[in-house]
Amino acid sequence: MDLDAARGKISEVDRRLVELLNERARLSLSVGAAKRQSLKEQGATGEPEVYVPAQEKRVFEKVRGLNQGPLSGESVCAIYREIMSASISLQSDVSVGYLGPPGTFSHQASMKRFGDSLAYVPYPKIEDVIAAAAKEEVTYGLVPIENSTFGAVVQTLDAFVDQPRVRIRAEVYLPVTQSLLSRYQLSAIRKVYSHPQAFGQSRQWLDQNLPNASRIEVSSTAKAAELAAAETYTAAVSSEVCAAMYHLDVVAKDITSAKDNTTRFFVLGQSSDLPTGDDKSLLMFTVDHRLPGALCSALDVFAKYKINQTAINSRPSRQRQWHYMFFVEIIGHEQDENVARALEDIKSYCLDLVVLGSYPRQSY
């Protein structure tokens, strides 16, 4: 096939694609109308959920299975991400809160999950994002929960204690590569800004290459880049995305200690999704520390019902000194029979039990 003929066929395929995309968009609007009608018949108020993680997961699995190449499965899913983003924006005005300013890994994870067609709202602190989602100032919030190298994000756990009404709808994994950004050569740098998590992920490189530079913690890696762009003899541990946004040079690439460095995020809203058969749940509770073995007894309930625990963290409860709030992530949905029975039994050992949400288990 010659060049003109190939281009002609591409034009015809483009015409059919546009027709099919708009047909799909009209069907998406019909889905939204059907959801509203169903809510009306149930006597419920408010808008229906437009972001349904279980349905999204099914769509991605389906298109991967249908794909015969030459496009990769990842490429097809990236295209469908934007198609679904545009469809969501047609159904409702959707806003997503994230830890700002623009360019943070939270911003990148939000875009990865929701695509380019929604409104994104930056907040200066993680607790502000969670509060905004709880108060419905935004439709959804996205916050980091843990990093594979540096562990739990304690600011998020602490904010859950203050805002227990928010619900987890989904999890997102984002590969994270930290770089050193500056307007100066390495030998001239006297001060480095970054988020505590980013410093933890790059500590080994910084110890070896900038042992005498002061390290100053700020609210985000993008804020660090913003400050490095404004100050003399200063650098930031941040992403290469921020280098372009804040007109900084990449002094050193990939300074993270672990090359498979990944951060997990939670999507927050007013409700969790229905069970998919492959879910996780996050619980928050305290125990009576005066009772010997109270925590052990609570955790034994999960073994009784054959429920696996994937993570356990603790934070000061702020109710009184040396009293802790425990965060336990389990395999299963709160509506699963064995999980529901376990949650009922565990109340005998726990105080202030809260299910922060159940969400589809996401592959990396």
Side-chain angles (χ1 to χ4, degrees):
M1 186 183 301
D2 64 25
L3 180 61
D4 288 340
R7 284 175 172 169
K9 284 187 174 294
I10 287 174
S11 294
E12 176 59 22
V13 169
D14 286 343
R15 184 189 65 79
R16 298 203 312 268
L17 277 174
V18 171
E19 289 179 354
L20 289 170
L21 286 171
N22 280 297
E23 181 180 349
R24 191 186 192 283
R26 286 189 287 271
L27 290 170
S28 178
L29 287 170
S30 297
V31 168
K35 287 180 181 178
R36 291 186 183 90
Q37 182 61 31
S38 178
L39 282 179
K40 184 178 179 180
E41 291 172 356
Q42 296 170 24
T45 59
E47 286 292 310
E49 289 285 359
V50 292
Y51 172 60
V52 184
Q55 175 62 16
E56 176 190 77
K57 187 177 181 180
R58 286 191 291 269
V59 169
F60 285 151
E61 289 174 349
K62 182 177 181 180
V63 298
R64 281 180 181 274
L66 291 171
N67 182 39
Q68 300 297 313
L71 289 176
S72 68
E74 289 74 15
S75 295
V76 170
C77 285
I79 293 167
Y80 263 81
R81 161 65 57 224
E82 294 304 327
I83 292 172
M84 295 169 73
S85 177
S87 296
I88 288 174
S89 69
L90 286 174
Q91 290 187 35
S92 178
D93 292 329
V94 178
S95 57
V96 180
Y98 68 92
L99 175 64
T104 60
F105 289 110
S106 292
H107 189 198
Q108 295 174 45
S110 299
M111 297 288 289
K112 176 182 178 181
R113 175 56 64 193
F114 289 101
D116 198 44
S117 296
L118 307 187
Y120 291 94
V121 183
Y123 287 89
K125 295 182 289 186
I126 287 173
E127 51 265 42
D128 295 335
V129 178
I130 295 178
K135 297 174 184 176
E136 298 186 70
E137 293 176 4
V138 291
T139 316
Y140 303 109
L142 184 140
V143 293
I145 184 63
E146 67 174 335
N147 175 263
S148 60
T149 303
F150 202 57
V153 180
V154 297
Q155 296 91 336
T156 299
L157 296 178
D158 288 343
F160 280 151
V161 176
D162 297 328
Q163 296 285 350
R165 292 182 296 111
V166 75
R167 297 280 293 183
I168 303 166
R169 286 193 65 77
E171 61 178 0
V172 185
Y173 290 88
L174 182 74
V176 169
T177 300
Q178 306 287 1
S179 297
L180 187 75
L181 314 182
S182 183
R183 295 185 292 118
Y184 299 90
Q185 295 181 345
L186 186 65
S187 58
I189 294 169
R190 299 291 177 263
K191 181 167 56 179
V192 182
Y193 287 110
S194 200
H195 187 272
Q197 281 272 336
F199 276 138
Q201 295 160 29
S202 57
R203 182 174 54 230
Q204 184 176 346
W205 189 94
L206 292 170
D207 288 345
Q208 292 175 353
N209 294 275
L210 286 171
N212 298 317
S214 59
R215 301 174 196 177
I216 301 174
E217 296 181 354
V218 292
S219 59
S220 70
T221 52
K223 183 64 176 178
E226 185 179 55
L227 290 169
E231 298 183 15
T232 56
Y233 309 113
T234 302
V237 176
S238 187
S239 69
E240 290 190 44
V241 169
C242 285
M245 293 183 68
Y246 295 99
H247 308 291
L248 293 167
D249 296 325
V250 180
V251 178
K253 292 185 177 183
D254 194 4
I255 64 173
T256 45
S257 301
K259 300 310 174 186
D260 58 351
N261 189 42
T262 301
T263 297
R264 183 165 69 122
F265 299 81
F266 280 152
V267 177
L268 309 175
Q270 295 299 307
S271 64
S272 291
D273 205 357
L274 295 173
T276 68
D278 186 21
D279 303 292
K280 292 193 285 190
S281 299
L282 183 63
L283 316 178
M284 179 176 71
F285 59 84
T286 61
V287 297
D288 190 341
H289 296 308
R290 296 169 299 179
L291 298 178
L295 177 60
C296 183
S297 297
L299 297 179
D300 278 347
V301 172
F302 299 120
K304 175 183 175 182
Y305 289 99
K306 295 180 170 52
I307 298 170
N308 189 29
Q309 302 151 59
T310 58
I312 302 175
N313 288 287
S314 66
R315 295 295 297 159
S317 69
R318 296 180 230 168
Q319 297 174 1
R320 56 182 178 273
Q321 282 188 327
W322 320 124
H323 188 263
Y324 294 90
M325 192 72 74
F326 296 98
F327 297 84
V328 179
E329 188 176 55
I330 61 172
I331 299 297
H333 194 285
E334 63 178 309
Q335 294 182 20
D336 293 344
E337 182 180 354
N338 65 326
V339 175
R341 291 170 66 188
L343 292 177
E344 191 60 36
D345 283 7
I346 204 172
K347 291 177 183 177
S348 301
Y349 309 103
C350 296
L351 308 171
D352 307 316
L353 173 64
V354 176
V355 180
L356 289 169
S358 296
Y359 37 94
R361 186 153 52 156
Q362 187 73 35
S363 61
Y364 298 178

